[in-house]
Amino acid sequence: PVGPSRKHWGPSVFGHRGCRHIEGIPENTLKAFEYAMSQGAMGIECDVRLTRDDHIVVFHDPVLGRVMKDIPDPTVEVGQLDLVDLRQMSYATDKTNEVRIPTLEETICFCKDNNLKLIIDLKELKRQKVCIDKLLKLYKDYGYYLYTESMVIAFDPRLLYKLRKADHKIAVGMLHSDRMFQNVMNMPFERHLVPKWIQCMPKAVDRGLNFINTKIAPWLIGVSSMCPNAHDSYNAEYAKLWHKRGMSVYLWGFNAAEECITDMRREGIFVSADDKYTDFNPAKKEVTYESLFPDAPSNFQKQLGVTPTPPPAAHISSGKEKSH
C-alpha cells in the first residue's frame, strides 16, 4: 500500500541542506535554513546521523574532514564523537566560528515555528535500530507537525522498512541513483568506508541497488514518494508511472535552475535546490480578462464598440420531426 500522500507538496521547492556554496553559511545548519527561508524556499531538506552518545544530529558526510576545520584526523566519523565534542567544532566556511552542528530536534522546531515542510534524509547505516527508535520518539513528541509536514527519505530500504513497520503514519521516500557508489568512490574522505568487494565493482552494485529501490522496495515498504537523481533517473514517463500509482516524485541533484525543465515544475513533483529557490518555481500563468471570463466580450472589442457574434440559437423542436 502507498503511504500518506505527498502529491500535494508539488511544485514546492526545498532548500537542499538548507543551502550550499553560499559564502559564510555552512550547509545543514540553522543559519543555512534561515537563509533558505529568507530566499523563498518552502521547505528544508537535511541529512541526519547518530553521535556516539545517541543524539541525532544534522550532518551529511560520515566523516568530519570536508566540512569542519582544525580536525587533526579528517577521517574521524560523526558517530565516533559525543554531541558535546561536536558542538565545540567550527565549520570551515564560518568566519565567525559561532555556528554549531544542530540536532534534528532543533531543526524540527525551527521548521515547525516557521511553517516550513521538512525532508529528513537518514544517513545512519551502522546503528539503524537506535536511530529509528530516536526518530520515532521525535515523531511521538512532535507528531502534530511531523505526520503532515515531513517525510523521511533514504537510500537504504531497510531503514524505511523498519520505520514504516513501527509507524505506518510516517511518510517515507525511496532515494535512488544510477551512480551512488560510483560517486562515493570519488570522495577522498569516504572511500575507505566502502567495503572492498563494492570497490571492485561499484557499477554492478549500483545497478543492483537501483533495481531493489525501484522494483521491490516501493511496494514492500509502502512509500509516499519516489526520489530519483534528476540527472540519471527522471523522464516524463517516470513521473506518469508513479503518479498513476498514487506516489509523488521528489527530484534532487540540480546544479542550476536551467536543469529543472518545465515538465519537472508541476503538481505531484517537488524539488530541492542549493540556492536561488524562486528560479525553480513554475512560470506563472498570465491572468487576462479573457481567461477569467471566456464568454464575455474582450476589452478590445468593447473599446471598438464591436459586439461579438452570438452563438446560434438552440433549435426547438416543433414536434413534427421524425423520431428515431
Side-chain angles (χ1 to χ4, degrees), residues 216-236:
I216 301 174
W219 314 113
L220 189 63
I221 296 169
V223 305
S224 299
S225 182
M226 293 300 293
C227 313
N229 184 305
H231 294 290
D232 60 34
S233 303
Y234 178 84
N235 56 49

Side-chain angles (χ1 to χ4, degrees), residues 37-308:
M37 179 179 66
S38 70
Q39 298 300 310
M42 303 169 206
I44 298 298
E45 183 272 349
C46 69
D47 310 278
V48 300
R49 297 182 177 277
L50 273 179
T51 64
R52 183 170 59 188
D53 53 346
D54 300 337
H55 290 276
I56 302 181
V57 292
V58 179
F59 204 85
H60 178 272
D61 299 359
V63 297
L64 297 167
R66 179 182 67 87
V67 179
M68 312 307 287
K69 63 183 176 183
D70 301 328
I71 306 295
D73 181 2
T75 64
V76 170
E77 300 177 32
V78 175
Q80 294 175 331
L81 298 174
D82 293 341
L83 178 62
V84 65
D85 301 320
L86 292 168
R87 294 279 208 183
Q88 294 174 0
M89 297 179 178
S90 300
Y91 289 89
T93 57
D94 175 31
K95 297 179 181 178
T96 68
N97 293 329
E98 295 177 354
V99 180
R100 293 294 179 260
I101 295 175
T103 64
L104 177 57
E105 185 169 12
E106 290 171 338
T107 301
I108 290 170
C109 290
F110 173 85
C111 291
K112 172 179 64 69
D113 293 344
N114 290 283
N115 297 316
L116 295 170
K117 296 175 176 60
L118 176 62
I119 296 177
I120 304 167
D121 187 347
L122 285 183
K123 297 294 188 185
E124 182 62 42
L125 298 179
K126 293 184 176 180
R127 291 182 293 150
Q128 294 190 358
K129 186 179 185 307
V130 176
C131 185
I132 289 171
D133 287 344
K134 292 289 183 178
L135 186 56
L136 288 170
K137 176 65 165 55
L138 289 172
Y139 266 86
K140 181 179 179 181
D141 294 343
Y142 299 95
Y144 58 94
Y145 162 74
L146 290 174
Y147 282 125
T148 59
E149 302 302 319
S150 75
M151 183 172 73
V152 180
I153 63 176
F155 274 107
D156 191 333
R158 297 173 299 175
L159 283 164
L160 302 182
Y161 177 80
K162 294 171 185 176
L163 189 63
R164 285 272 295 160
K165 186 177 180 181
D167 190 343
H168 67 277
K169 299 190 299 296
I170 298 176
V172 302
M174 189 75 259
L175 282 165
H176 67 97
S177 170
D178 292 344
R179 297 184 53 84
M180 190 192 75
F181 280 109
Q182 295 171 71
N183 290 336
V184 172
M185 295 296 292
N186 294 324
M187 298 177 182
F189 297 138
E190 300 182 29
R191 182 188 177 106
H192 71 283
L193 299 175
V194 179
K196 294 294 184 182
W197 67 273
I198 294 181
Q199 292 186 30
C200 296
M201 49 180 180
K203 290 183 179 180
V205 175
D206 275 335
R207 285 195 296 269
L209 182 60
N210 209 34
F211 178 84
I212 292 172
N213 286 6
T214 57
K215 305 298 183 183
I216 301 174
W219 314 113
L220 189 63
I221 296 169
V223 305
S224 299
S225 182
M226 293 300 293
C227 313
N229 184 305
H231 294 290
D232 60 34
S233 303
Y234 178 84
N235 56 49
E237 288 302 314
Y238 179 99
K240 183 178 179 180
L241 171 68
W242 293 109
H243 284 170
K244 187 176 180 180
R245 295 171 177 175
M247 302 176 195
S248 58
V249 173
Y250 163 58
L251 298 174
W252 53 277
F254 297 102
N255 295 312
E258 293 74 22
E259 298 172 354
C260 187
I261 60 177
T262 302
D263 183 69
M264 298 175 176
R265 307 180 187 193
R266 56 188 174 94
E267 292 298 320
I269 301 176
F270 43 101
V271 305
S272 65
D274 295 338
D275 190 15
K276 300 181 179 178
Y277 314 100
T278 55
D279 290 351
F280 287 76
N281 288 329
K284 293 184 178 180
K285 294 182 180 179
E286 183 180 359
V287 179
T288 63
Y289 183 88
E290 290 78 5
S291 66
L292 293 174
F293 307 101
D295 296 329
S298 68
N299 289 334
F300 180 70
Q301 288 174 315
K302 286 182 176 179
Q303 292 171 5
L304 293 179
V306 177
T307 303

